[in-house]
Amino acid sequence: MALMMIRDLCSLHYPIHLSNTELQVKECRILKFGCNMKKKLMAVNASASGSGNSKSIETINGKKINGVHVGQRGNVVTEPGSSSSSSSVNHSYMLGNFVDERFVYRQSFVIRSYEIGPDKTATMETIMNLLQETALNHVASSGVGSNGFGATREMSLRKLIWVVTRIQIKVEQYSSWGDVVEIDTWVDAAGKNGMRRDWIIRDSNTGNIITKATSTWVIMNRETRRLSKIPEQVKAEVRPFYINKFAIPTAQIDSEKIEKLNDETAQIISSGLAPRWSDMDANQHVNNVKYIGWILESVPINVLEDSHLMSLTLEYRRECQLSNVLQSMTTMREIATSESDENSGMECTHLIRMEADQGEVVRARSIWQPKQ
């Protein structure tokens, strides 16, 4: 019956104006549906017959992974001894695939109409969401992911989660509605108790890199909400994926201290910003992407209309919960963003703080360049 349903789905007619990428996305979804149905039927049969489900220990990048065999084609998981043809379906348009000797995870996206802003290009929130989605799928497809939100198995056993402490995004060109982008992501160690994750975004048509990003992550106990050292068991899980590669060279990273604003130094203060239920993520705090919208609340409308946000550095200092009320603060100064003009751009310093006790939540710095 399941196979008949799959054949019926495959016979659906798609409008002629859909792009090739859209068609491939839909085909991948149909194929995934069929694979999932087949796996469920096999699981039921195995359970009924009382057969065991043994897992063999395989390796990635020359090192052992917790008893899970990750196939060599994309993210398709294959059982030991199975035919290579069973893994020939590459879900690269939906879940991505591994490249660069499996150290780098790559995923493609179509920019949707609801992901663009008034100027008809992808917003910074859209870019951040796509970076986050690629990172989570990297973990899920690597063979070490658990049922946690980006957590590994050993992290889930110890009630640990990843939290970002700093992220920098540099945009060369914003994508438009209907554009296809290709995102690469990878990880490396950041000191003794941190992990660095980098991304690059390419325009699929030209192959040009249009965005670069780098970030630092640490581990937090999801119950006590306190930072934790990375256990050796977790290091053993993620270390096989470390690669000494940088989207933004270390010398070009915005490592300069971000000024702390106050009532005297802030030029604009927007108050009464309250998180909504939809702003919360699976780790029970405000999703890190949501702060971008609050930051922009205190940026003058003429800057938003006449300039592109070319660089954004976020420094996360405290969690925000559903009951908190926030303030967004900004101060601005003119800077040179090109050699030909001494005052062609704008640098903004931002602060998101608690309205009640003025506790810092996020410090940020943004660079704006006039639209051509």
Side-chain angles (χ1 to χ4, degrees):
M1 175 180 260
L3 294 176
M4 292 176 62
M5 292 173 63
I6 296 166
R7 284 196 294 270
D8 290 341
L9 284 170
C10 290
S11 67
L12 288 175
H13 172 70
Y14 298 123
I16 191 66
H17 65 272
L18 284 178
S19 67
N20 292 335
T21 300
E22 290 284 345
L23 291 176
Q24 288 170 305
V25 169
K26 291 180 179 293
E27 290 169 1
C28 285
R29 286 174 178 164
I30 292 171
L31 290 169
K32 185 185 179 190
F33 171 79
C35 292
N36 288 342
M37 289 292 293
K38 184 176 180 181
K39 288 179 181 178
K40 289 179 180 179
L41 291 173
M42 291 175 64
V44 171
N45 293 335
S47 175
S49 63
S51 62
N53 183 21
S54 61
K55 293 180 179 179
S56 67
I57 297 179
E58 300 292 336
T59 63
I60 277 190
N61 303 331
K63 299 184 181 181
K64 292 182 179 180
I65 297 300
N66 289 345
V68 174
H69 177 67
V70 180
Q72 296 302 305
R73 296 180 61 88
N75 57 19
V76 180
V77 178
T78 59
E79 293 298 328
S82 64
S83 171
S84 61
S85 62
S86 65
S87 63
S88 61
V89 179
N90 191 327
H91 296 175
S92 60
Y93 285 94
M94 184 166 54
L95 291 179
N97 61 293
F98 287 93
V99 296
D100 199 0
E101 298 181 348
R102 300 188 64 80
F103 285 102
V104 175
Y105 184 76
R106 178 173 294 169
Q107 185 166 3
S108 296
F109 298 92
V110 179
I111 303 301
R112 311 292 184 177
S113 60
Y114 50 81
E115 295 173 326
I116 62 175
D119 60 358
K120 300 180 182 179
T121 61
T123 63
M124 182 61 79
E125 290 98 322
T126 293
I127 293 174
M128 281 277 284
N129 277 321
L130 295 182
L131 298 183
Q132 179 173 271
E133 179 70 9
T134 309
L136 291 172
N137 286 336
H138 181 197
V139 177
S141 302
S142 66
V144 300
S146 181
N147 58 357
F149 197 57
T152 68
R153 293 185 185 85
E154 293 293 340
M155 288 174 64
S156 293
L157 289 174
R158 293 162 175 78
K159 302 177 181 179
L160 302 174
I161 59 175
W162 289 111
V163 292
V164 62
T165 58
R166 191 178 179 100
I167 184 168
Q168 179 186 357
I169 303 174
K170 298 179 68 174
V171 181
E172 295 293 332
Q173 175 188 332
Y174 280 91
S175 301
S176 301
W177 175 31
D179 287 350
V180 179
V181 296
E182 183 180 81
I183 304 180
D184 285 2
T185 187
W186 60 90
V187 293
D188 194 11
K192 293 182 179 180
N193 280 293
M195 184 176 75
R196 171 172 171 164
R197 177 176 287 278
D198 285 28
W199 299 265
I200 57 173
I201 303 180
R202 294 185 186 88
D203 182 284
S204 288
N205 287 329
T206 65
N208 295 333
I209 295 176
I210 58 176
T211 299
K212 300 176 182 179
T214 186
S215 60
T216 305
W217 300 73
V218 295
I219 280 182
M220 172 188 285
N221 186 292
R222 70 168 180 261
E223 292 187 350
T224 66
R225 315 309 285 187
R226 294 180 179 275
L227 297 182
S228 167
K229 292 183 177 180
I230 302 181
E232 288 301 320
Q233 295 88 341
V234 176
K235 288 183 179 180
E237 287 181 307
V238 298
R239 193 178 292 119
F241 299 93
Y242 286 169
I243 179 174
N244 186 29
K245 180 179 178 179
F246 307 108
I248 302 176
T250 303
Q252 298 178 18
I253 290 179
D254 179 12
S255 57
E256 183 181 347
K257 182 179 178 181
I258 301 177
E259 176 190 356
K260 178 183 178 181
L261 297 181
N262 54 43
D263 292 329
E264 288 71 38
T265 58
Q267 297 172 348
I268 304 172
I269 300 177
S270 180
S271 301
L273 304 174
R276 301 169 299 175
W277 176 253
S278 60
D279 295 330
M280 309 298 286
D281 66 19
N283 286 329
Q284 305 304 312
H285 58 202
V286 171
N287 188 289
N288 63 76
V289 178
K290 300 297 181 180
Y291 295 105
I292 298 176
W294 290 325
I295 286 171
L296 298 181
E297 285 290 323
S298 56
V299 175
I301 188 66
N302 65 299
V303 176
L304 298 176
E305 290 178 340
D306 301 334
S307 302
H308 283 304
L309 176 53
M310 306 308 298
S311 176
L312 179 64
T313 302
L314 297 159
E315 187 180 284
Y316 298 90
R317 307 178 73 85
R318 180 175 174 179
E319 280 191 295
C320 180
Q321 307 295 338
L322 189 62
S323 59
N324 299 133
V325 179
L326 306 172
Q327 289 182 319
S328 175
M329 311 171 72
T330 291
T331 188
M332 302 173 293
R333 69 183 184 92
E334 290 186 338
I335 61 169
T337 56
S338 65
E339 296 181 358
S340 60
D341 193 338
E342 293 182 357
N343 294 309
S344 60
M346 191 79 65
E347 178 184 277
C348 297
T349 302
H350 313 275
L351 175 67
I352 301 294
R353 72 181 186 185
M354 300 290 183
E355 194 168 89
D357 62 3
Q358 299 187 352
E360 292 182 88
V361 179
V362 176
R363 292 188 191 184
R365 177 166 36 244
S366 60
I367 305 295
W368 301 78
Q369 183 172 307
K371 295 178 180 177
Q372 299 299 326

